[in-house]
Amino acid sequence: MTQCKNQMNRRACLRSLVGSGAGVVAVAGASLPLGNAFAQDGSPNEATDGATDGATDGTVQPPLDASPVAAAQVDLTVPQTTRWRLGVNIDTPVTITSGLATFPVFMDWPEQKVSVTGRTVDGRVGNVAVRELDGARQVVVAIPRLTSGGTVQVEVEMEVVRQPIVAPTETGDLIVPARLPREMRAYMGNSPMIDATNPAIRALSRELAGDAPESDWEKVRQIYDVVRDKVRYQEGPIRDASDALKTGIGDCEDMTSLFVALCRNAGIPARMVWIPGHCYPEFYLEPKDAKPERGELAGTWYPCQAAGTEQFGGMLESRPVLQKGDRFRVPEQRTPVRYVAEFFRCDRQGSKAPRVEFVRKPV
């Protein structure tokens, strides 16, 4: 029996960094917080723009993401509503067993609300469930056995309403938390490709600290300006944050990584935000005299545009947020991953591989 593993990669700004899968995730009996979106018997109920086809060798071609809203005549100062179709389609020339497919889906954030408008489960699916990660949400599809010539289709249609984020006008009382809440610790230190402890990054951080403004907001702004000054936008192979600093070139992902690394060196929580075809960073500050309720955060995550049109503290963007974070723990991966990508694994009886198509496209 041959094992097949496919991992969907990201093209351009969304290149996946996760390795091959390992281990088995239990999905039986899990519930779907999608308005009973899927029937557990696999009956119909009704990623990455454009379909992507797996080659006969079992590889999966990378998807292309694109904005669902035309570039011309879009007023980003008002809420933007988009509809998306996300899912996985599988057909196989050989019998497969122990199949497992996962794909990320949109979720609610302060700036966006998500609703499920349709779903499809077709074929011999053992179970479909939703897995909540810290900062991401996945649909998990279990396929116990699919005989030669069999097909599986699991798709969900979502409507996303995204609100514009306006930068605050009064920022003098916004500070770095004196004591980080437990949930903020995930946004400090190193992450995959964010080598915050690299000597070159630490040296630059010390240099900035020696000439830092008094206001914490302006300290973050100083980091933002330095990244945009030192790194010229250029697409290419994905780089560590320190490599972008060393070479002086990088794409949106590399520039975002460097910004996040420098913020963390300055004691400022920061993280990556992933949207279709792009990513940008967020940083966390809180009001000086804030007194949060127990279990709640006192501050706010503020976005900025590391690469592209200058935006600092606010974000005018039509594309929905797919996930936030850069150090995810996914059961199929042995080590933390930077981005929660699509994933497929199975055992197959024969040399041919199933064709796997992940879908994330605007409707």
Side-chain angles (χ1 to χ4, degrees):
M1 182 175 293
T2 304
Q3 188 176 68
C4 55
K5 295 180 182 178
N6 288 336
Q7 175 88 29
M8 180 66 73
N9 294 319
R10 292 169 291 129
R11 193 176 282 175
C13 291
L14 294 183
R15 293 181 294 274
S16 173
L17 301 185
V18 294
S20 59
V24 177
V25 58
V27 297
S31 61
L32 258 184
L34 295 174
N36 295 321
F38 297 95
Q40 295 304 304
D41 62 0
S43 59
N45 288 313
E46 204 34 19
T48 336
D49 302 307
T52 55
D53 296 336
T56 56
D57 62 358
T59 61
V60 178
Q61 301 302 314
L64 286 173
D65 285 332
S67 172
V69 180
Q73 306 301 319
V74 175
D75 184 359
L76 295 178
T77 64
V78 299
Q80 298 293 317
T81 300
T82 55
R83 293 170 68 95
W84 292 76
R85 186 163 58 88
L86 308 98
V88 61
N89 299 313
I90 302 168
D91 62 71
T92 179
V94 297
T95 296
I96 64 172
T97 58
S98 303
L100 178 71
T102 72
F103 56 90
V105 293
F106 303 114
M107 58 188 293
D108 287 350
W109 293 101
E111 68 270 37
Q112 78 178 25
K113 296 298 179 185
V114 177
S115 58
V116 176
T117 58
R119 68 278 295 176
T120 298
V121 177
D122 192 17
R124 298 186 64 83
V125 177
N127 191 35
V128 180
V130 165
R131 175 196 287 158
E132 301 289 344
L133 303 174
D134 187 10
R137 173 179 290 170
Q138 293 175 298
V139 171
V140 182
V141 182
I143 309 168
R145 180 180 176 86
L146 187 63
T147 57
S148 174
T151 62
V152 163
Q153 180 185 27
V154 177
E155 292 186 359
V156 58
E157 190 172 299
M158 292 182 156
E159 180 178 274
V160 184
V161 180
R162 173 154 187 174
Q163 302 286 338
I165 302 174
V166 179
T169 56
E170 300 295 330
T171 60
D173 68 336
L174 295 175
I175 62 170
V176 178
R179 185 174 182 179
L180 290 178
R182 181 181 298 273
E183 54 266 43
M184 289 290 104
R185 296 174 190 171
Y187 308 117
M188 299 296 292
N190 291 329
S191 291
M193 310 301 286
I194 301 176
D195 49 347
T197 57
N198 178 273
I201 291 178
R202 283 189 162 176
L204 177 57
S205 185
R206 288 193 297 269
E207 180 183 331
L208 294 176
D211 189 34
E214 292 185 5
S215 160
D216 283 351
W217 181 270
E218 290 303 320
K219 289 179 184 177
V220 184
R221 176 72 202 215
Q222 180 190 48
I223 293 172
Y224 177 79
D225 290 339
V226 164
V227 169
R228 291 171 65 90
D229 179 62
K230 287 185 174 292
V231 181
R232 175 174 56 87
Y233 181 87
Q234 179 177 305
E235 292 187 7
I238 194 165
R239 303 169 178 87
D240 286 341
S242 61
D243 289 333
L245 177 60
K246 179 180 178 180
T247 62
I249 57 174
D251 64 9
C252 62
E253 193 164 333
D254 308 324
M255 296 173 72
T256 296
S257 293
L258 181 57
F259 174 86
V260 169
L262 288 169
C263 281
R264 291 177 179 178
N265 266 279
I268 303 163
R271 65 187 180 188
M272 300 186 75
V273 180
W274 305 90
I275 65 178
H278 188 49
C279 66
Y280 56 85
E282 285 183 331
F283 59 93
Y284 179 85
L285 297 175
E286 62 185 27
K288 183 177 181 180
D289 299 321
K291 296 181 180 178
E293 298 291 333
R294 184 177 179 86
E296 296 183 359
L297 295 177
T300 300
W301 285 99
Y302 296 97
C304 57
Q305 189 81 274
T309 303
E310 182 177 309
Q311 297 190 68
F312 184 80
M315 185 60 59
L316 303 181
E317 174 62 67
S318 64
R319 289 167 289 185
V321 173
L322 186 61
Q323 49 195 271
K324 294 187 179 187
D326 42 73
R327 191 162 60 227
F328 297 97
R329 294 193 176 275
V330 182
E332 291 75 50
Q333 309 301 328
R334 295 177 180 174
T335 58
V337 299
R338 174 181 179 83
Y339 172 83
V340 181
E342 291 84 353
F343 176 87
F344 177 73
R345 178 187 66 210
C346 71
D347 293 328
R348 66 177 188 263
Q349 299 175 1
S351 59
K352 294 184 178 180
R355 187 183 70 89
V356 183
E357 172 194 71
F358 287 103
V359 178
R360 188 195 304 136
K361 60 167 57 175
V363 177

